């Protein structure tokens, strides 16, 4: 009797399971529901992707299993759960290799590259992207070429190769007609607009950024494309910030902060950062510290954020300096310096790998194959191969030399910034540079007059000759020269030149308007009659030319307009 009951129970359970399976959504329905929500509500899309995976397991459908593993991974990536997303995309790739699904594998490797890049594993991401290109060539699938280009552009932008990134994104925009799905076309169009605008903003070109950012805003709506809308809105806020419209930047950034607090951690942190930066520029230093510290706390609590942590420390150091908290200012300055060094090394490493894997290797292969073909036709053309190799070596050597030179200039610039900070401290504390104990009353009188001369910045006059100043200080040129030589430790010309260059260093750092002047106009501003004389004196005193100093100030976004 018990055996009969058990058999009936198993039979009924089997029938119910079959009925439950029959009532489940089909693969096509689950894919449709996933596609409907993946960009609007990734959590909801994830539930349909998981259902699809379970259905594929029950039915033993390997092809569908690959696709739903991919969908699960994509949802987790959009939810910033990249560690779990990586495991699922690895499962999709393994399953796809078993099923020999060459059509879906390029898509899987594209997503794997994106996940690895967001996890900070750009070297591994490059390898994944090369697999995309390899599969795309095998199956002659041009849409995957767009995936590949987007991926490479993303890495180039991340590691500050902004102009090349922009060029790649623009080529994507020109070739979007090869995508059959209008949804995919819109996605990649918005993605390209966002990244082009962002890259121009990194280059401090708000006018160029605005063109592409506005094009993106016209193509999307807050309701249907919120994933892109608020990023474009944040770009608009940064455009206002770079144009020094700080109140407008705060209004736009507040909108982004309020909308992104729950569902987009990176965008939320970016909004806090720009609220802090804008407050700093408005000289609301305590409020700036509030926003920046709030963001920094969240950075420390998360292992998966994409934020310029180095610049956080830079602005926190400046803000704490302004509220006279030297301990915290020093702490954040040290953090900034360490990250600057680390980031430079990583950018150099990845950019070199990108050139090696993406740019240089194919070039070498093409040269070699071309040489083989030509040598069969005519042995006398072997010189072409040798010349090509020489040119390639020269090209690689020039890249290496350029990187070394940039590294040296960067080091000199950072050392110079420390000196400028010391000069600012001296100016604020009004430190007197001479000794108090001087017995000669005449010398004391002259030194007092020299001190007033320095405070009044009279040395910035182009007519500041020794005889002219001696007359102003009511002494003779010979005696004044001797006093300066003895108590300033240098000749009159060296003394005046040093004062002018030190003043130029401080004001160029702190006055945005002055940074837009020509070198000739800047030279005249600081008492030099000729641009060449100013440039030589600047280089002799600092180790870099004024144009290089200005370029690095712009790159590092260092300027606090005090006018």
């Amino acid at each position: 009797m018990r055996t009969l009951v058990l058999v009936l129970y198993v039979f009924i359970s089997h029938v119910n399971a079959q009925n439950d399976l029959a009532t489940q959504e089909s693969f096509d329905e689950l894919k449709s529901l996933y596609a409907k929500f993946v960009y609007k509500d990734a959590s909801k899309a994830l539930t349909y992707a998981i259902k699809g995976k379970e259905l594929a397991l029950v039915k033993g459908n390997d092809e569908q299993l690959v696709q739903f593993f991919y969908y699960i991974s994509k949802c987790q990536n959009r939810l910033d759960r990249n560690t779990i997303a990586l495991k699922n995309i690895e499962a999709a790739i393994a399953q796809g290799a078993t099923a020999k699904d060459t059509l879906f594998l390029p898509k899987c490797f594209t997503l794997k590259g994106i996940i690895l890049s967001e996890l900070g594993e750009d070297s591994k991401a490059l390898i994944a992207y090369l697999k995309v290109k390899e599969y795309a060539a095998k199956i002659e699938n041009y849409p995957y070429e767009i995936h590949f280009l987007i991926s490479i552009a993303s890495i180039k932008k991340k590691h500050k190769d902004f102009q090349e990134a922009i060029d790649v994104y623009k080529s994507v925009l020109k070739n979007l007609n090869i995508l059959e799905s209008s949804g995919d076309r819109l996605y990649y169009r918005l993605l390209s607009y966002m990244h082009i605008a962002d890259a121009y903003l990194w280059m401090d070109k708000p006018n160029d950024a605005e063109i592409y950012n506005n094009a993106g805003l016209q193509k999307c709506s807050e309701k249907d494309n919120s994933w892109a809308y608020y990023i474009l809105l944040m770009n608009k806020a940064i455009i206002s910030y770079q144009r020094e419209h700080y109140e407008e930047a705060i209004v736009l950034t507040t909108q982004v902060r309020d909308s992104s607090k729950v569902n987009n951690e990176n965008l939320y942190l970016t909004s806090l950062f720009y609220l802090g930066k804008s407050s700093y520029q408005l000289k609301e230093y305590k409020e700036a510290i509030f926003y920046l510290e709030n963001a920094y706390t969240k950075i420390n609590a998360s292992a998966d954020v994409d934020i310029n942590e180095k610049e956080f420390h830079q602005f926190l150091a400046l803000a704490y300096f302004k509220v006279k908290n030297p301990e915290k200012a020093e702490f954040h300055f040290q953090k900034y310096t360490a990250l600057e060094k680390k980031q430079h090394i990583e950018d150099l490493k990845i950019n070199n790998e990108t050139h090696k894997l993406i740019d240089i290797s194919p070039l070498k292969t093409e040269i070699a194959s071309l040489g083989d073909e030509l040598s069969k036709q005519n042995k006398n053309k072997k010189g072409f191969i040798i010349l090509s190799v020489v040119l390639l070596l020269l090209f690689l050597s020039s890249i290496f030399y350029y990187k070394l030179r940039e590294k040296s200039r960067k080091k000199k610039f950072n050392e110079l910034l420390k000196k400028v900070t010391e000069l600012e401290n001296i100016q604020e504390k009004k430190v007197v540079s001479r000794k108090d104990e001087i017995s000669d009353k005449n010398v004391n009188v002259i030194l007092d007059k020299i001190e007033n001369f320095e405070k009044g910045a009279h040395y910035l006059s182009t007519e500041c000759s020794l005889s002219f100043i001696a007359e102003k200080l009511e002494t003779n040129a010979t005696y004044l020269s001797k006093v300066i030589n003895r108590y300033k430790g240098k000749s009159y010309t060296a003394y005046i030149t040093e004062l002018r260059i030190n003043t130029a260093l401080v004001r160029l750092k702190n006055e945005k308007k002055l940074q837009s002047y020509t070198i000739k106009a800047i030279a005249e501003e600081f008492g030099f009659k000729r641009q060449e004389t100013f440039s030589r004196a600047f280089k002799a005193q600092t180790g870099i030319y004024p144009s290089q100093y200005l370029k690095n100030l712009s790159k590092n976004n260092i300027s606090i307009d005090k006018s």
Side-chain angles (χ1 to χ4, degrees):
M1 183 67 181
R2 286 181 181 177
T3 304
L4 180 60
V5 170
L6 181 61
V7 170
L8 287 171
Y9 173 77
V10 171
F11 174 75
I12 292 168
S13 297
H14 178 72
V15 170
N16 287 336
Q18 292 297 320
N19 289 335
D20 287 343
L21 190 61
T23 59
Q24 288 178 10
E25 296 95 334
S26 68
F27 288 125
D28 288 340
E29 288 171 333
L30 288 169
K31 286 179 185 177
S32 177
L33 289 167
Y34 157 82
K36 180 179 179 181
F37 292 105
V38 64
Y39 296 123
K40 295 179 181 178
D41 186 343
S43 296
K44 198 167 186 178
L46 180 60
T47 61
Y48 295 116
I50 292 171
K51 281 185 180 181
K53 181 197 77 172
E54 291 171 350
L55 183 60
L57 285 169
V58 170
K59 292 193 172 185
N61 190 321
D62 291 340
E63 183 181 339
Q64 296 294 340
L65 189 57
V66 174
Q67 295 185 29
F68 280 102
F69 265 126
Y70 169 87
Y71 297 147
I72 290 169
S73 182
K74 186 166 184 177
C75 290
Q76 288 164 338
N77 170 247
R78 292 197 57 76
L79 292 167
D80 288 328
R81 302 171 189 169
N82 284 313
T83 303
I84 305 172
L86 183 61
K87 291 178 181 178
N88 278 290
I89 201 62
E90 291 283 15
I93 290 170
Q95 190 68 35
T98 302
K100 298 181 180 179
D101 188 351
T102 55
L103 294 176
F104 210 75
L105 277 172
K107 208 168 184 178
C108 292
F109 276 108
T110 298
L111 182 56
K112 181 181 178 179
I114 292 169
I115 293 166
L116 284 167
S117 185
E118 290 183 11
L119 287 171
E121 298 281 357
D122 287 319
S123 296
K124 293 179 181 178
L126 278 171
I127 295 170
Y129 293 143
L130 285 171
K131 293 293 287 184
V132 176
K133 190 175 184 181
E134 179 186 321
Y135 276 108
K138 283 181 181 178
I139 61 178
E140 296 184 353
N141 189 308
Y142 296 110
Y144 285 124
E145 289 290 336
I146 286 183
H147 297 320
F148 174 74
L149 291 173
I150 285 278
S151 305
I152 297 303
S154 176
I155 287 183
K156 285 182 177 289
K157 185 168 80 74
K158 182 177 177 181
H159 293 281
K160 300 181 176 53
D161 200 349
F162 298 120
Q163 190 55 58
E164 280 196 30
I166 288 169
D167 293 341
V168 176
Y169 281 121
K170 285 182 178 179
S171 71
V172 169
L173 288 172
K174 289 179 182 178
N175 292 284
L176 283 177
N177 59 319
I178 66 175
L179 292 178
E180 295 179 4
S181 166
S182 59
D184 281 347
R185 278 201 298 271
L186 178 61
Y187 172 75
Y188 285 115
R189 190 177 300 281
L190 292 176
L191 198 67
S192 298
Y193 285 143
M194 284 160 40
H195 283 292
I196 291 171
D198 183 52
Y200 275 128
L201 288 172
W202 274 98
M203 297 167 71
D204 200 16
K205 293 183 176 181
N207 293 338
D208 292 315
E210 187 175 49
I211 294 169
Y212 289 91
N213 205 65
N214 283 348
L217 285 169
Q218 290 170 7
K219 291 283 184 182
C220 73
S221 68
E222 181 179 1
K223 180 182 177 182
D224 297 327
N225 316 100
S226 60
W227 65 274
Y229 176 82
Y230 285 107
I231 294 174
L232 291 163
L233 191 64
M234 188 68 241
N235 283 345
K236 187 175 180 180
I238 297 171
I239 290 167
S240 296
Y241 175 86
Q242 290 192 358
R243 288 174 172 168
E244 301 178 21
H245 302 157
Y246 302 123
E247 291 88 352
E248 182 181 325
I250 286 175
V251 171
L252 292 168
T253 306
T254 301
Q255 286 181 252
V256 176
R257 179 199 63 184
D258 294 343
S259 68
S260 62
K261 188 172 184 178
V262 176
N263 55 18
N264 193 325
E265 185 179 29
N266 285 326
L267 191 57
Y268 178 60
L269 289 174
T270 302
S271 67
L272 289 179
F273 183 31
Y274 273 90
L275 286 171
K277 287 175 67 173
S278 299
S279 298
Y280 180 90
Q281 302 291 12
L282 293 171
K283 299 182 179 180
E284 296 169 357
Y285 302 124
K286 290 184 179 179
E287 194 160 349
I289 289 171
F290 169 77
Y291 287 123
L292 294 171
E293 285 287 14
N294 191 0
Y296 186 51
T297 300
K298 295 182 183 299
I299 289 174
N300 287 334
S302 175
D304 189 22
V305 293
D306 180 21
I307 286 292
N308 190 342
E309 189 179 344
K310 182 189 73 174
E311 202 174 2
F312 267 108
H313 288 296
Q314 177 191 343
F315 269 87
L316 276 167
L318 290 169
Y320 275 120
F321 176 77
K322 291 295 185 182
V323 298
K324 303 189 185 306
N325 189 331
E327 291 82 8
K328 290 219 169 186
E330 176 65 18
F331 169 79
H332 288 289
F333 179 74
Q334 292 298 332
K335 288 280 189 181
Y336 165 81
T337 304
L339 286 167
E340 173 74 16
K341 182 178 180 181
K342 178 183 175 184
Q343 184 175 314
H344 175 76
I345 292 170
E346 180 64 16
D347 289 343
L348 184 63
K349 174 178 176 288
I350 296 301
N351 283 330
N352 284 342
E353 286 182 2
T354 306
H355 279 290
K356 181 180 178 183
L357 293 172
I358 309 305
D359 305 323
I360 305 302
S361 295
L363 179 61
K364 290 174 74 174
T365 303
E366 289 171 11
I367 289 172
S369 62
L370 179 61
D372 290 340
E373 185 179 340
L374 291 175
S375 64
K376 291 175 183 177
Q377 299 174 4
N378 190 344
K379 291 182 179 181
N380 292 330
K381 293 187 178 180
K382 286 183 179 179
F384 174 81
I385 304 172
I386 297 171
L387 178 61
S388 299
V389 172
V390 170
L391 289 173
L392 179 61
L393 289 173
L394 286 172
F395 173 67
L396 293 172
S397 298
S398 66
I399 291 175
F400 182 69
Y401 170 74
Y402 174 78
K403 295 295 183 183
L404 283 179
R405 190 176 62 177
E406 283 298 303
K407 184 177 181 180
S408 175
R409 286 177 180 171
K410 189 70 178 177
K411 182 180 178 182
K412 289 179 181 178
F413 175 73
N414 288 334
E415 290 171 352
L416 194 54
L417 275 187
K418 293 180 183 178
K419 179 183 175 182
V420 174
T421 302
E422 290 171 4
L423 289 170
E424 290 173 325
N425 291 338
I426 290 170
Q427 289 179 1
E428 289 195 11
K429 294 175 182 177
K430 296 182 173 59
V431 174
V432 179
S433 60
R434 67 184 176 89
K435 295 180 179 179
D436 292 330
E437 296 179 2
I438 299 173
S439 58
D440 191 327
K441 291 183 180 180
N442 291 330
V443 171
N444 267 313
V445 170
I446 294 299
L447 289 174
D448 284 337
K449 288 181 178 180
I450 288 175
E451 186 180 324
N452 289 329
F453 164 77
E454 290 180 10
K455 288 179 180 177
H458 300 298
Y459 51 83
L460 297 181
S461 169
T462 55
E463 304 301 324
C464 189
S465 65
L466 178 61
S467 57
F468 179 80
I469 297 306
E471 185 179 339
K472 290 289 183 184
L473 301 185
E474 298 177 338
T475 186
N476 64 71
T478 303
Y479 186 65
L480 177 60
S481 178
K482 287 181 180 179
V483 171
I484 289 172
N485 267 280
R486 181 174 178 184
Y487 294 100
K488 297 294 181 181
K490 53 182 71 72
S491 69
Y492 172 78
T493 301
Y495 163 66
I496 292 297
T497 300
E498 184 179 275
L499 287 173
R500 288 172 172 174
I501 298 300
N502 285 345
T503 303
L505 286 168
V506 173
R507 286 184 56 194
L508 284 171
K509 174 192 169 188
N510 293 312
E511 296 180 26
K512 186 79 172 178
K513 184 178 179 181
L514 198 57
Q515 293 178 14
S516 65
Y517 286 13
T518 63
I519 300 297
K520 183 180 179 182
I522 292 171
E524 292 172 355
E525 179 77 14
F526 296 106
F528 292 89
K529 292 181 179 180
R530 297 178 68 250
Q531 174 182 331
E532 294 80 4
T533 307
F534 170 62
S535 293
R536 281 198 303 270
F538 197 99
K539 175 72 160 57
Q541 187 168 320
T542 66
I544 61 175
Y545 287 104
S547 58
Q548 294 165 352
Y549 182 61
L550 289 168
K551 182 179 178 181
N552 277 286
L553 288 173
S554 176
K555 274 186 178 180
N556 289 274
N557 197 24
I558 297 173
S559 72
I560 308 140
D561 203 332
K562 295 179 178 177
S563 58

